[in-house]
Amino acid sequence: MILPIVGYGDPVLRKVGVAITPEYPNLKETIANMYETMYNAYGVGLAAPQVGMAIRLFVIDTTPFSEDDDLGSDEAKELKGFKKTFINAKIVKEEGEEWSFNEGCLSIPDVREDVYRKPTVTIEYCEEDFVMKTEVFDGLIARVIQHEYDHIEGVLFTDKISSLKKRLIQKKLKNITEGKTFQEYRMKFAAAKKGR
């Protein structure tokens, strides 16, 4: 089932997600719905707060990045088919020299900005079987993980840009909060909630 994506300004996007257990209600269905919602919106990652749930869960599929002509064949191969569910994730280390990449977010449509992040990340997490893993990722995969991880920490990519750039996008952010934006995917806006 395709879920509405929560737009910028909704308080759920600022909540730190809570850890879940295997008994979390309808977990398999929730994860399936999140993948379906992400694919429907042509995203490469989606975190539970973006569909209104303040829990430590996000899903990633970097396959769309593998079609970028600027990538080397090894990197494209790595990105193609990288599909993973992260439950109760905790980043334990970020390493390397920060690099810039133009990021966007399904909850903040029509806004893209360069964000600096470290290239390598060590993360502890569970997959759907709730077996704890510790893995190291780098490059674009690490970046997508960091972006989605920020969501479960109540952080948005717009928090990581300069105050000048924040001022320049202020009107766009206000429009999103008020629901004055059009997307081809379903969205839910903070202003609509208040009006009820």
Side-chain angles (χ1 to χ4, degrees), residues 24-38:
Y24 187 81
N26 307 316
L27 182 59
K28 280 201 180 331
E29 187 186 339
T30 296
I31 292 168
N33 290 344
M34 284 177 63
Y35 276 110
E36 193 179 347
T37 301
M38 177 180 76

Side-chain angles (χ1 to χ4, degrees), residues 43-100:
V44 292
L46 187 69
Q50 293 181 274
V51 288
M53 296 176 287
I55 58 173
R56 298 187 78 76
L57 165 66
F58 60 88
V59 299
I60 285 173
D61 187 341
T62 58
T63 301
F65 279 153
S66 68
E67 290 145 24
D68 188 332
D69 296 336
D70 296 336
L71 295 175
S73 62
D74 286 350
E75 194 174 8
K77 216 179 287 176
E78 195 180 358
L79 292 164
K80 191 175 179 70
F82 181 86
K83 178 181 173 180
K84 207 173 261 294
T85 301
F86 292 80
I87 299 171
N88 299 339
K90 180 168 176 38
I91 289 182
V92 290
K93 204 189 306 178
E94 293 173 307
E95 307 172 270
E97 194 174 319
E98 288 191 339
W99 63 292
S100 171

Side-chain angles (χ1 to χ4, degrees), residues 76-141:
K77 216 179 287 176
E78 195 180 358
L79 292 164
K80 191 175 179 70
F82 181 86
K83 178 181 173 180
K84 207 173 261 294
T85 301
F86 292 80
I87 299 171
N88 299 339
K90 180 168 176 38
I91 289 182
V92 290
K93 204 189 306 178
E94 293 173 307
E95 307 172 270
E97 194 174 319
E98 288 191 339
W99 63 292
S100 171
F101 187 81
N102 195 255
E103 292 188 21
C105 179
L106 296 175
S107 291
I108 313 175
D110 300 325
V111 175
R112 298 195 64 85
E113 290 293 340
D114 288 344
V115 176
Y116 282 86
R117 296 188 190 271
K118 296 194 183 254
T120 304
V121 65
T122 304
I123 187 166
E124 292 173 352
Y125 70 99
C126 299
E127 287 184 307
E128 290 176 54
D129 57 9
F130 275 83
V131 172
M132 182 63 90
K133 295 183 164 188
T134 302
E135 286 189 90
V136 178
F137 298 101
D138 55 26
L140 278 174
I141 290 172

